[in-house]
Amino acid sequence: MSAPARLVPRTRAAVAERLALSAATAEGVHTATSEVPGWLDRHRRSCGTVVRRIPFAALDNWSFAPDTGNLRHGSGRFFTVEGLHVTRPQTQWQQPIIVQPEIGILGILAKEFDGVLHFLMQAKMEPGNPNLVQLSPTVQATRSNYTQAHGGSGVRYLEHFLVPRREQVLTDVLQSEHGAWFFRKRNRNMIVEVDGDVPVHDSFCWLTLGQILRLLRLDNVVNMDARTVLASAPAVPAETRALSSDADLLAWFTGERARHDVRARLMPLREIAGWQRGEHALGRTDGRFFRVVAVSVEGAGREVAGWTQPIIEPVERGVVGFAYRVFDGVPHVLAHARVEGGFLDTVELAPTVQCVPSNYAPLPAGERPLFLDAVLNAPPGRVRYSTVHSEEGGRFLDAESRYLIVETDEATTPDQPPPGYHWVTPGQLKWLAAHSRYVNVQARTLLAVLDAALGGDGAP
């Protein structure tokens, strides 16, 4: 006869409290926060990496398929660049998009030192990072990487994330990536705790969450993959009240998903309208949004020493911002149910503003993104957070956005916002981010710093 079922304690709240203690711990026991930028700079200098733009013809083992024009690797692995056709009731468009169906691992190893959780962070080179080396998760690898499709060396610390014991897992959730540039891309965001000795390689260091929050105040220091993992971790809600109950919020969001009719299908890259391929780039004929280019990476100091690849390059720096207000003593941010062609569902919750302003400069004021001027023109005293972060450096070249949290008022962001927008508390956003496909990757970056920016745990 089988043993009777045994109940175990629900521990999410306990994990959240331990993370809160780590967020409130300004300095760790191993590395001072002030030493981290210099440590990253030393790795930047020592890796000797050179990234060069090259013509498509110089790509090694990449080619445009003769039948579809899709850009693909000869091995059939890694990713492809294909065409996407998105149809909505009032509009439609075509564009290139990265197709990478495999699910990667973004994993951070955690360990207690002196009763406080520390996180093993990596100085990792990515060819698209503006400064090459940024603070990254312990493991940041696609399936092609960690199955060594490139023929290179293995991924350090990977064994902790492939088959972890369930009691060691602090967070584990599939999250989407950039829906404008990836087609239905997801990664497994994980934090796994260890209690034994962990040899620390020279390009890794232990930091508390409080230290990482302070580093998130610096431009281009903490990479996108680290930000999304931290945003997916459990948190103790700072508030018990909100403008909308959790049930009302879910009902509104489900209604937003249901009311949008979005049909997205892949199509041959050679057939997309409004784009032109040259020797060095595939871009829009009007020069807006982004282009596909090719790069050569030499002296990488990674699993392989060098390679070539296609990469997406935005035309200009973006602006990503949450409008923030306090209602009856409770902070709220204005979330946007945003449609992106590459999402698995029709919409995900995004920041109030997410765009490259110059893309909309030719348009009349009524066609500019809502609330863009409220975020861009906020007086300095109302800007609670302003930092430049780059996006995923493995697939995007110099893709930077200024991330903002801006205090607003009834005149600029009303209590009753227009359709598609909803006031949510940081705790509600954190609750939704613990589940797949609710909160987009840009909102997760701001969520990682939200409590600190609004004066919660880990505030500078």
Side-chain angles (χ1 to χ4, degrees):
M1 188 173 69
S2 62
R6 181 173 62 89
L7 299 181
V8 298
R10 296 182 62 188
T11 59
R12 186 172 177 82
V15 171
E17 289 173 1
R18 297 174 68 205
L19 290 168
L21 174 61
S22 183
T25 304
E27 292 294 341
V29 300
H30 293 281
T31 304
T33 310
S34 60
E35 296 174 354
V36 174
W39 175 71
L40 291 172
D41 192 52
R42 286 194 298 276
H43 282 282
R44 188 174 301 119
R45 295 195 306 269
S46 65
C47 74
T49 303
V50 176
V51 178
R52 295 185 298 109
R53 295 169 184 268
I54 58 174
F56 288 128
L59 284 167
D60 181 23
N61 213 19
W62 291 85
S63 61
F64 292 96
D67 52 347
T68 62
N70 294 344
L71 188 50
R72 64 188 184 183
H73 192 264
S75 68
R77 304 289 295 275
F78 304 108
F79 62 93
T80 57
V81 181
E82 305 185 23
L84 181 72
H85 188 172
V86 182
T87 305
R88 299 184 63 191
Q90 304 300 323
T91 187
Q92 63 174 317
W93 71 90
Q94 296 176 0
Q95 64 168 89
I97 198 160
I98 295 174
V99 180
Q100 187 175 337
E102 61 187 33
I103 294 174
I105 293 177
L106 306 179
I108 297 179
L109 214 54
K111 180 178 169 63
E112 270 197 9
F113 295 96
D114 292 347
V116 177
L117 281 174
H118 289 58
F119 302 90
L120 189 61
M121 307 301 290
Q122 178 183 181
K124 186 175 181 67
M125 192 287 299
E126 293 287 345
N129 289 340
N131 52 358
L132 288 180
V133 177
Q134 296 186 11
L135 199 66
S136 309
T138 318
V139 167
Q140 177 184 318
T142 65
R143 184 178 294 274
S144 292
N145 287 148
Y146 67 74
T147 57
Q148 297 174 269
H150 45 55
S153 58
V155 177
R156 287 189 176 90
Y157 308 108
L158 177 65
E159 66 276 8
H160 295 284
F161 300 94
L162 288 180
V163 192
R165 297 200 311 271
R166 284 183 293 178
E167 66 270 20
Q168 291 180 309
V169 177
L170 304 187
T171 188
D172 188 358
V173 59
L174 289 178
Q175 295 287 19
S176 64
E177 292 209 13
H178 299 76
W181 297 334
F182 277 120
F183 185 67
R184 299 179 180 177
K185 177 74 172 72
R186 296 169 295 161
N187 275 322
R188 192 175 180 183
N189 288 230
M190 306 176 71
I191 300 178
V192 174
E193 185 176 6
V194 293
D195 51 17
D197 290 335
V198 177
V200 179
H201 186 265
D202 177 60
S203 59
F204 294 77
C205 70
W206 292 104
L207 299 171
T208 69
L209 184 52
Q211 290 179 283
I212 299 169
L213 287 173
R214 282 157 176 77
L215 293 167
L216 278 163
R217 290 277 183 175
L218 304 179
D219 291 351
N220 286 323
V221 169
V222 182
N223 86 342
M224 186 215 77
D225 301 284
R227 302 190 307 260
T228 179
V229 174
L230 295 173
S232 303
V236 179
E239 70 283 329
T240 57
R241 299 172 300 140
L243 285 176
S244 298
S245 69
D246 292 350
D248 287 344
L249 174 59
L250 279 179
W252 168 81
F253 184 63
T254 303
E256 286 296 309
R257 280 187 164 169
R259 80 178 178 90
H260 286 284
D261 183 6
V262 183
R263 303 182 186 186
R265 65 174 180 87
L266 295 174
M267 63 179 293
L269 183 63
R270 69 187 310 166
E271 296 178 10
I272 58 174
W275 294 74
Q276 185 173 24
R277 191 179 100 201
E279 182 183 356
H280 288 84
L282 168 63
R284 280 177 58 111
T285 53
D286 61 7
R288 298 165 69 200
F289 297 108
F290 67 91
R291 49 190 165 254
V292 180
V293 298
V295 294
S296 167
V297 186
E298 301 168 4
R302 293 239 319 233
E303 295 90 355
V304 291
W307 67 90
T308 64
Q309 67 169 88
I311 197 165
I312 281 181
E313 180 185 37
V315 298
E316 204 167 274
R317 178 183 288 178
V319 171
V320 177
F322 266 132
Y324 146 73
R325 287 183 63 186
V326 176
F327 297 97
D328 196 18
V330 179
H332 288 68
V333 293
L334 187 58
H336 178 205
R338 180 182 174 88
V339 172
E340 293 186 14
F343 284 156
L344 190 59
D345 288 303
T346 54
V347 302
E348 294 188 11
L349 286 183
T352 319
V353 170
Q354 177 187 316
C355 70
V356 174
S358 65
N359 287 328
Y360 301 91
L363 301 179
E367 297 182 29
R368 286 165 59 82
L370 291 178
F371 307 113
L372 174 60
D373 293 333
V375 168
L376 288 181
N377 301 329
R382 288 194 161 197
V383 177
R384 304 299 295 271
Y385 180 83
S386 176
T387 305
V388 174
H389 293 299
S390 57
E391 307 303 331
E392 208 277 319
R395 299 290 179 264
F396 312 136
L397 179 65
D398 294 335
E400 293 181 303
S401 293
R402 178 161 293 280
Y403 280 82
L404 297 158
I405 299 173
V406 174
E407 186 176 1
T408 57
D409 52 31
E410 176 67 18
T412 53
T413 52
D415 295 6
Q416 299 295 325
Y421 292 82
H422 203 83
W423 289 106
V424 301
T425 69
Q428 288 176 316
L429 204 59
K430 195 78 173 176
W431 166 57
L432 292 174
H435 306 278
S436 299
R437 305 194 306 277
Y438 278 92
V439 181
N440 82 347
V441 68
Q442 288 89 347
R444 294 198 302 273
T445 281
L446 287 171
L447 183 55
V449 302
L450 205 51
D451 281 343
L454 303 184
D457 287 341

